[in-house]
Amino acid sequence: MISRFRTFLDLAILAGATVAALLALSGLLGGLVPLLDLVNHFQLLIFLAAVVGLLASLVWPFLRKDLRHPVQLLLLVPLLCSSSLLLPDLYRRMTISEASAESLEARGLQPLKLMSFNIYLGTWDGDGLARSIFRHAPEVVNLQEFPPKRFRRQQDLKKAYPYQANCGYWRTCTLGILSKHPLSDIKHYDLDDGGGRNPLHGKMLAATIRAPGREPVRLYNVHLGWPLPLSVKQTQFQRAEAIIKAEAAKTPNQLVAGDFNATGWSFAVDGFADDLGFSRRSQFLPTFPSPHSIIKRLSPPAFLSLDHVLTSPTLSSGPVVRASAELGDHWPILTELYVPKR
């Protein structure tokens, strides 16, 4: 009886390794088959599971000893597949550095400090939000799940960021932009026809930042839907792309920032950036869940890179990093944009 159970466990391990290998291989086809790209959102978990599985296979007392090497070979497949997507992202993250003041001056650029932050709709702590923002002193704050009326009495935020934009009724759109510099040409867009699971998703808020001494920058604050339904997410990307391209002639300095609900190691985000001719500046940056997020009574470390910054060819940036905060289910992200002088 015990030997049968041990044999069953060995075969179950072999089956699990086979499924992991097939899943990882299917993710590599995500650029051709969008449905398979769903696997890539979990590549960091797949990588970690493959590492743990390989280590465990070294010490597991296989009754069927002939299965040890096949299991190890199968577990190498997800390890290599995940590495092919994750390691280039990690390398770019490690090789990006802040530009010196002398370098910016020589290139005719000036910095503009940006924070993007999904604060979570259930947040009521206005003081905590203000402290989280002031701690990093960004010039522009890009907020998702931000109901502006809830924080209308937060006078310190109003004083520090006198120029503000939002897209109206909070039950259908919770995007906000807080700026130390004047904002103009404020518009908000629905990027789908209401087919998503969450009415707050599929929204975009646009505003032109007019910072002294710098050329205008068109900021698109997005909160996109989850990967499923696939057709809805594709529609959101397509409509956002059409709007941004249509406005490029008027304001060529453009950036898209916010909660994409898609990881940087999926083909979807880079495909969107490539179609726009933009660069993804957020590299290997897991932002969900934050330490303040509870999932099934657990508080796991961040394993999904959902928040991004994309810039047009006329803009560049330093590294995009996670910033500390007192609230929110996402980590805020922070970067220095390098904007042409005016």
Side-chain angles (χ1 to χ4, degrees):
M1 181 66 179
I2 294 177
S3 63
R4 288 181 180 180
F5 181 67
R6 289 278 305 280
T7 300
F8 171 77
L9 286 179
D10 291 351
L11 293 173
I13 292 170
L14 178 66
T18 303
V19 170
L22 291 174
L23 276 175
L25 285 171
S26 68
L28 295 184
L29 299 175
L32 300 174
V33 184
L35 186 62
L36 297 180
D37 197 28
L38 299 176
V39 174
N40 293 322
H41 297 299
F42 303 98
Q43 285 292 0
L44 185 56
L45 289 180
I46 292 172
F47 176 83
L48 294 174
V51 170
V52 171
L54 272 173
L55 294 175
S57 72
L58 297 174
V59 298
W60 177 258
F62 282 94
L63 185 66
R64 291 278 306 271
K65 297 186 183 302
D66 59 316
L67 295 183
R68 186 184 303 274
H69 291 309
V71 166
Q72 291 173 340
L73 289 173
L74 284 168
L75 288 172
L76 280 175
V77 175
L79 187 66
L80 293 173
C81 290
S82 297
S83 297
S84 70
L85 294 174
L86 297 174
L87 292 183
D89 222 36
L90 180 60
Y91 173 78
R92 289 190 291 267
R93 166 82 182 274
M94 296 175 66
T95 54
I96 295 174
S97 59
E98 295 281 0
S100 66
E102 294 78 11
S103 171
L104 293 178
E105 183 67 29
R107 294 156 58 194
L109 302 173
Q110 282 197 6
L112 179 71
K113 194 171 186 179
L114 172 77
M115 172 187 275
S116 186
F117 188 13
N118 183 330
I119 69 169
Y120 176 58
L121 189 59
T123 294
W124 287 83
D125 185 0
D127 291 334
L129 175 61
R131 287 192 299 269
S132 298
I133 292 172
F134 293 154
R135 182 179 302 153
H136 306 287
E139 295 172 77
V140 179
V141 189
N142 199 54
L143 296 172
Q144 300 87 48
E145 299 197 22
F146 170 74
K149 289 187 178 179
R150 187 178 299 172
F151 304 104
R152 64 185 182 276
R153 295 177 182 172
Q154 207 67 36
Q155 294 300 322
D156 46 357
L157 276 178
K158 286 185 176 181
K159 184 177 179 180
Y161 298 95
Y163 306 98
Q164 302 191 4
N166 61 73
C167 52
Y169 189 44
W170 71 270
R171 290 187 182 275
T172 57
C173 182
T174 54
L175 301 176
I177 299 172
L178 313 182
S179 176
K180 293 181 178 293
H181 311 298
L183 301 174
S184 65
D185 199 16
I186 298 167
K187 299 178 182 178
H188 61 89
Y189 304 92
D190 287 330
L191 299 178
D192 60 46
D193 298 316
R197 297 178 178 180
N198 188 326
L200 301 181
H201 292 167
K203 302 297 190 294
M204 183 167 73
L205 174 65
T208 300
I209 306 163
R210 300 189 177 276
R214 285 153 280 189
E215 291 183 4
V217 175
R218 187 73 170 160
L219 168 61
Y220 298 91
N221 180 0
V222 297
H223 192 185
L224 303 182
W226 281 100
L228 292 174
L230 184 61
S231 60
V232 173
K233 188 60 173 277
Q234 290 176 324
T235 297
Q236 292 171 6
F237 277 129
Q238 291 164 1
R239 291 187 179 177
E241 178 188 339
I243 292 165
I244 294 166
K245 283 183 174 179
E247 296 186 350
K250 183 179 179 182
T251 312
N253 301 315
Q254 297 176 304
L255 75 133
V256 187
D259 180 359
F260 284 62
N261 273 320
T263 64
W265 35 81
S266 70
F267 290 98
V269 175
D270 280 345
F272 175 60
D274 291 343
D275 289 342
L276 285 169
F278 284 21
S279 298
R280 175 167 60 90
R281 302 294 177 179
S282 42
Q283 305 288 344
F284 201 84
L285 194 67
T287 56
F288 181 87
S290 78
H292 308 290
S293 178
I294 304 297
I295 301 175
K296 303 292 185 181
R297 298 185 180 181
L298 300 174
S299 184
F303 61 90
L304 294 172
S305 64
L306 303 182
D307 302 86
H308 302 286
V309 175
L310 316 179
T311 63
S312 64
T314 58
L315 299 174
S316 58
S317 81
V320 180
V321 300
R322 295 192 314 198
S324 59
E326 298 181 18
L327 44 81
D329 58 348
H330 290 234
W331 286 84
I333 58 176
L334 196 69
T335 191
E336 289 267 3
L337 299 167
Y338 303 140
V339 182
K341 287 183 179 180
R342 182 163 57 181

